[in-house]
Amino acid sequence: MIESRLLDILACPVCKTRLGLDEASATMTCGDAECGRTYRVVDGIPLLLVSDELEATSLAG
């Protein structure tokens, strides 16, 4: 999905913490417990715009 060398340098645009990839749900989630923002991955491209982040409640349901 996303090259490992790209995963090594991607960070949350808000808090600059490393992002974790969830290929099953096509999302990347911030590793910081206080931030925890989740972003979509579309066609292998992470959408790291804060305005496009997923609501935590939309992932649960």
Side-chain angles (χ1 to χ4, degrees):
M1 180 181 236
I2 297 176
E3 292 182 31
S4 62
R5 64 184 180 155
L6 182 57
L7 287 173
D8 291 339
I9 62 171
L10 286 175
C12 176
V14 175
C15 70
K16 311 301 185 233
T17 301
R18 187 173 180 171
L19 295 168
L21 175 65
D22 182 350
E23 290 188 34
S25 64
T27 59
M28 297 191 81
T29 302
C30 176
D32 182 62
E34 290 183 23
C35 180
R37 287 176 165 78
T38 299
Y39 303 93
R40 291 181 186 94
V41 177
V42 178
D43 294 327
I45 301 169
L47 304 177
L48 300 179
L49 298 173
V50 175
S51 61
D52 288 341
E53 75 176 283
L54 298 174
E55 296 283 330
T57 54
S58 70
L59 294 176

